[in-house]
PDB file of all heavy atoms in Angstrom:
ATOM      1  N   ALA A  10     106.839 122.575  57.444  1.00 95.00           N
ATOM      2  CA  ALA A  10     107.950 122.466  58.396  1.00 95.00           C
ATOM      3  C   ALA A  10     108.097 123.848  59.023  1.00 95.00           C
ATOM      4  O   ALA A  10     107.443 124.802  58.595  1.00 95.00           O
ATOM      5  CB  ALA A  10     109.240 122.025  57.700  1.00 95.00           C
ATOM      6  N   ASP A  11     108.944 123.972  60.007  1.00 95.00           N
ATOM      7  CA  ASP A  11     109.099 125.239  60.701  1.00 95.00           C
ATOM      8  C   ASP A  11     109.555 126.322  59.732  1.00 95.00           C
ATOM      9  O   ASP A  11     110.675 126.295  59.232  1.00 95.00           O
ATOM     10  CB  ASP A  11     110.109 125.081  61.837  1.00 95.00           C
ATOM     11  CG  ASP A  11     110.191 126.338  62.706  1.00 95.00           C
ATOM     12  OD1 ASP A  11     109.240 127.135  62.688  1.00 95.00           O
ATOM     13  OD2 ASP A  11     111.215 126.510  63.385  1.00 95.00           O
ATOM     14  N   VAL A  13     108.456 126.856  56.715  1.00 96.00           N
ATOM     15  CA  VAL A  13     108.348 126.451  55.316  1.00 96.00           C
ATOM     16  C   VAL A  13     106.872 126.220  55.005  1.00 96.00           C
ATOM     17  O   VAL A  13     106.217 125.408  55.669  1.00 96.00           O
ATOM     18  CB  VAL A  13     109.159 125.172  55.018  1.00 96.00           C
ATOM     19  CG1 VAL A  13     109.052 124.808  53.538  1.00 96.00           C
ATOM     20  CG2 VAL A  13     110.613 125.369  55.401  1.00 96.00           C
ATOM     21  N   ARG A 128     121.648 130.468  57.064  1.00 95.00           N
ATOM     22  CA  ARG A 128     120.944 129.293  56.550  1.00 95.00           C
ATOM     23  C   ARG A 128     121.353 129.057  55.100  1.00 95.00           C
ATOM     24  O   ARG A 128     121.406 129.988  54.294  1.00 95.00           O
ATOM     25  CB  ARG A 128     119.441 129.523  56.650  1.00 95.00           C
ATOM     26  CG  ARG A 128     118.591 128.348  56.209  1.00 95.00           C
ATOM     27  CD  ARG A 128     117.132 128.684  56.432  1.00 95.00           C
ATOM     28  NE  ARG A 128     116.229 127.572  56.238  1.00 95.00           N
ATOM     29  CZ  ARG A 128     114.969 127.569  56.683  1.00 95.00           C
ATOM     30  NH1 ARG A 128     114.488 128.611  57.342  1.00 95.00           N
ATOM     31  NH2 ARG A 128     114.193 126.521  56.476  1.00 95.00           N
ATOM     32  N   ASP A 148     117.237 122.187  51.543  1.00 96.00           N
ATOM     33  CA  ASP A 148     117.321 123.058  52.707  1.00 96.00           C
ATOM     34  C   ASP A 148     117.997 122.284  53.838  1.00 96.00           C
ATOM     35  O   ASP A 148     117.413 121.353  54.408  1.00 96.00           O
ATOM     36  CB  ASP A 148     115.913 123.509  53.124  1.00 96.00           C
ATOM     37  CG  ASP A 148     115.929 124.404  54.360  1.00 96.00           C
ATOM     38  OD1 ASP A 148     117.007 124.926  54.697  1.00 96.00           O
ATOM     39  OD2 ASP A 148     114.866 124.565  54.986  1.00 96.00           O
ATOM     40  N   TYR A 149     119.231 122.654  54.156  1.00 95.00           N
ATOM     41  CA  TYR A 149     119.989 121.917  55.166  1.00 95.00           C
ATOM     42  C   TYR A 149     119.348 122.022  56.552  1.00 95.00           C
ATOM     43  O   TYR A 149     119.528 121.141  57.385  1.00 95.00           O
ATOM     44  CB  TYR A 149     121.433 122.439  55.231  1.00 95.00           C
ATOM     45  CG  TYR A 149     122.278 121.992  54.072  1.00 95.00           C
ATOM     46  CD1 TYR A 149     122.427 122.786  52.947  1.00 95.00           C
ATOM     47  CD2 TYR A 149     122.933 120.764  54.094  1.00 95.00           C
ATOM     48  CE1 TYR A 149     123.201 122.381  51.874  1.00 95.00           C
ATOM     49  CE2 TYR A 149     123.713 120.339  53.037  1.00 95.00           C
ATOM     50  CZ  TYR A 149     123.838 121.159  51.923  1.00 95.00           C
ATOM     51  OH  TYR A 149     124.593 120.738  50.866  1.00 95.00           O
ATOM     52  N   GLN A 150     118.591 123.086  56.800  1.00 95.00           N
ATOM     53  CA  GLN A 150     118.001 123.264  58.123  1.00 95.00           C
ATOM     54  C   GLN A 150     116.841 122.305  58.361  1.00 95.00           C
ATOM     55  O   GLN A 150     116.766 121.653  59.407  1.00 95.00           O
ATOM     56  CB  GLN A 150     117.533 124.714  58.287  1.00 95.00           C
ATOM     57  CG  GLN A 150     116.923 125.005  59.650  1.00 95.00           C
ATOM     58  CD  GLN A 150     116.768 126.481  59.908  1.00 95.00           C
ATOM     59  OE1 GLN A 150     117.734 127.237  59.767  1.00 95.00           O
ATOM     60  NE2 GLN A 150     115.573 126.924  60.283  1.00 95.00           N
ATOM     61  N   THR A 151     115.930 122.193  57.396  1.00 96.00           N
ATOM     62  CA  THR A 151     114.762 121.314  57.571  1.00 96.00           C
ATOM     63  C   THR A 151     114.936 119.958  56.908  1.00 96.00           C
ATOM     64  O   THR A 151     114.115 119.068  57.086  1.00 96.00           O
ATOM     65  CB  THR A 151     113.509 121.980  56.979  1.00 96.00           C
ATOM     66  OG1 THR A 151     113.711 122.193  55.567  1.00 96.00           O
ATOM     67  CG2 THR A 151     113.228 123.310  57.656  1.00 96.00           C
ATOM     68  N   LYS A 152     116.001 119.818  56.096  1.00 96.00           N
ATOM     69  CA  LYS A 152     116.275 118.587  55.343  1.00 96.00           C
ATOM     70  C   LYS A 152     115.163 118.279  54.328  1.00 96.00           C
ATOM     71  O   LYS A 152     114.875 117.120  54.026  1.00 96.00           O
ATOM     72  CB  LYS A 152     116.483 117.392  56.279  1.00 96.00           C
ATOM     73  CG  LYS A 152     117.658 117.568  57.230  1.00 96.00           C
ATOM     74  CD  LYS A 152     117.833 116.358  58.139  1.00 96.00           C
ATOM     75  CE  LYS A 152     118.996 116.557  59.107  1.00 96.00           C
ATOM     76  NZ  LYS A 152     119.164 115.391  60.015  1.00 96.00           N
ATOM     77  N   ILE A 153     114.532 119.344  53.823  1.00 97.00           N
ATOM     78  CA  ILE A 153     113.529 119.188  52.760  1.00 97.00           C
ATOM     79  C   ILE A 153     114.221 119.297  51.413  1.00 97.00           C
ATOM     80  O   ILE A 153     115.027 120.206  51.176  1.00 97.00           O
ATOM     81  CB  ILE A 153     112.426 120.263  52.866  1.00 97.00           C
ATOM     82  CG1 ILE A 153     111.664 120.128  54.182  1.00 97.00           C
ATOM     83  CG2 ILE A 153     111.459 120.153  51.695  1.00 97.00           C
ATOM     84  CD1 ILE A 153     110.620 121.218  54.397  1.00 97.00           C
ATOM     85  N   PHE A 155     113.424 120.068  47.652  1.00 96.00           N
ATOM     86  CA  PHE A 155     112.443 120.614  46.720  1.00 96.00           C
ATOM     87  C   PHE A 155     112.834 120.125  45.323  1.00 96.00           C
ATOM     88  O   PHE A 155     113.878 120.516  44.790  1.00 96.00           O
ATOM     89  CB  PHE A 155     112.419 122.140  46.789  1.00 96.00           C
ATOM     90  CG  PHE A 155     112.061 122.677  48.152  1.00 96.00           C
ATOM     91  CD1 PHE A 155     113.051 122.977  49.079  1.00 96.00           C
ATOM     92  CD2 PHE A 155     110.739 122.860  48.518  1.00 96.00           C
ATOM     93  CE1 PHE A 155     112.736 123.459  50.342  1.00 96.00           C
ATOM     94  CE2 PHE A 155     110.400 123.350  49.776  1.00 96.00           C
ATOM     95  CZ  PHE A 155     111.403 123.640  50.687  1.00 96.00           C
ATOM     96  N   ALA A 206     114.373 114.514  54.886  1.00 95.00           N
ATOM     97  CA  ALA A 206     113.234 114.344  55.783  1.00 95.00           C
ATOM     98  C   ALA A 206     111.907 114.466  55.054  1.00 95.00           C
ATOM     99  O   ALA A 206     110.890 113.939  55.513  1.00 95.00           O
ATOM    100  CB  ALA A 206     113.298 115.380  56.902  1.00 95.00           C
ATOM    101  N   MET A 207     111.911 115.164  53.911  1.00 97.00           N
ATOM    102  CA  MET A 207     110.671 115.387  53.172  1.00 97.00           C
ATOM    103  C   MET A 207     111.010 115.718  51.725  1.00 97.00           C
ATOM    104  O   MET A 207     112.018 116.372  51.450  1.00 97.00           O
ATOM    105  CB  MET A 207     109.883 116.542  53.807  1.00 97.00           C
ATOM    106  CG  MET A 207     108.483 116.768  53.264  1.00 97.00           C
ATOM    107  SD  MET A 207     107.669 118.207  54.068  1.00 97.00           S
ATOM    108  CE  MET A 207     107.653 117.676  55.786  1.00 97.00           C
TER     109      MET A 207
END
Side-chain angles (χ1 to χ4, degrees):
D11 187 21
V13 182
R128 183 177 189 164
D148 179 17
Y149 285 94
Q150 181 167 308
T151 61
K152 299 180 181 179
I153 298 176
F155 300 92
M207 188 182 299

